[in-house]
């Protein structure tokens, strides 16, 4: 998002006047920044605050609440060809309860902490119907259930979104398999993050 102290811009106020700054202005307005970005919405004491729409130079669009020039409160952020998030923001980042729909139609619904999946959440794989349900930390599943469409599921601990440590597989016929699972993760896999 444009930093008003570094960007030059023009502000068209609701009365039609045009200014080179929003300093001290409260009311509705439209700011057009030198990098091509645009904000259309509420200002309070010269800052984006309240409801508004922001269009980014890269094609991303945000429609929601602002505070102190940052996304803050409830809003929808549509990423240019990278999906859509609807939920809570804090200080410009996804934070709190929200849902992200990815271009491949996968969906994560749950809690976020400053831009990463963190807390209780569910990730649904669109192409297979599989679900990861449980606790997330720093964008990765740590504990919970891996549910398959055929009724088979795994419940236990995870690392890099795969079973690791103590867990139990449950099958349709009522059989279970308990054990401790070990992963052999290649270095390139360490940064893998479901849907990030």
């Amino acid at each position: 998002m444009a930093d008003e102290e570094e960007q030059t811009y023009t502000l068209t106020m609701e009365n039609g006047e045009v200014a080179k700054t929003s300093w001290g202005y409260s009311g509705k307005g439209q700011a057009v920044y030198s990098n091509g970005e645009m904000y259309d919405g509420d200002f309070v004491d010269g800052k984006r605050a309240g409801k508004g729409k922001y269009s980014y130079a890269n094609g991303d669009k945000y429609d929601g609440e602002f505070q102190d020039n940052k996304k803050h409160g409830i809003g929808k952020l549509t990423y240019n060809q990278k999906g859509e998030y609807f939920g809570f923001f804090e200080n410009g980042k996804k934070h709190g309860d929200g849902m992200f729909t990815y271009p491949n139609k996968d969906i994560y619904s749950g809690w976020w902490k400053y831009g990463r999946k963190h807390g209780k959440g569910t990730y649904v794989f669109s192409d297979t119907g599989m679900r990861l349900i449980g606790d997330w930390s720093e964008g990765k599943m740590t504990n919970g259930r891996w549910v398959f469409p055929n009724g088979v599921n795994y419940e236990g601990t995870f690392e890099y979104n795969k079973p690791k440590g103590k867990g139990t597989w449950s099958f349709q016929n009522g059989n279970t398999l308990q054990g401790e699972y070990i992963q052999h993760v290649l270095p390139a896999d360490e940064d893998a993050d479901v849907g990030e």
Side-chain angles (χ1 to χ4, degrees):
M1 189 174 289
D3 182 345
E4 292 187 358
E5 295 165 342
E6 295 177 16
Q7 290 280 340
T8 58
Y9 63 97
T10 58
L11 172 69
T12 304
M13 297 178 239
E14 59 188 322
N15 65 5
E17 289 183 37
V18 178
K20 296 276 185 200
T21 181
S22 61
W23 188 82
Y25 176 68
S26 292
K28 294 195 180 300
Q30 184 181 71
V32 178
Y33 299 90
S34 60
N35 65 357
E37 296 183 348
M38 186 172 70
Y39 171 74
D40 190 356
D42 298 328
F43 288 85
V44 175
D45 292 328
K47 294 184 178 180
R48 294 182 294 271
K51 295 192 181 230
K53 295 179 180 181
Y54 199 101
S55 298
Y56 297 87
N58 66 2
D60 294 354
K61 295 183 184 308
Y62 174 75
D63 184 352
E65 298 175 349
F66 288 83
Q67 180 178 306
D68 291 327
N69 284 336
K70 295 180 181 173
K71 297 180 293 288
H72 193 93
I74 296 175
K76 179 170 90 170
L77 181 56
T78 304
Y79 296 89
N80 185 16
Q81 302 179 12
K82 294 181 183 173
E84 180 179 280
Y85 172 81
F86 178 76
F88 287 89
F89 290 83
E90 187 173 308
N91 285 326
K93 298 195 181 257
K94 299 182 290 276
H95 189 78
D97 196 15
M99 182 173 81
F100 198 106
T101 304
Y102 298 87
N104 65 359
K105 305 297 183 216
D106 286 3
I107 294 173
Y108 171 80
S109 179
W111 289 91
W112 298 78
K113 182 177 180 184
Y114 298 113
R116 304 292 303 257
K117 295 185 268 313
H118 195 92
K120 298 283 183 196
T122 300
Y123 190 100
V124 179
F125 295 87
S126 173
D127 62 341
T128 63
M130 290 189 299
R131 293 176 288 151
L132 293 173
I133 305 165
D135 300 317
W136 297 74
S137 179
E138 297 299 317
K140 295 175 178 58
M141 176 89 147
T142 59
N143 187 50
R145 293 181 346 160
W146 185 8
V147 181
F148 292 77
N150 65 3
V152 173
N153 72 78
Y154 166 84
E155 187 165 353
T157 56
F158 289 76
E159 186 173 306
Y160 302 112
N161 304 317
K162 297 176 185 170
K164 182 173 182 189
K166 292 185 180 185
T168 302
W169 284 96
S170 299
F171 301 93
Q172 285 180 307
N173 62 8
N175 290 341
T176 60
L177 175 63
Q178 294 182 336
E180 189 155 341
Y181 299 90
I182 299 171
Q183 287 184 35
H184 296 285
V185 178
L186 299 174
D189 289 343
E190 289 181 12
D191 291 330
D193 190 3
V194 174
E196 291 286 317

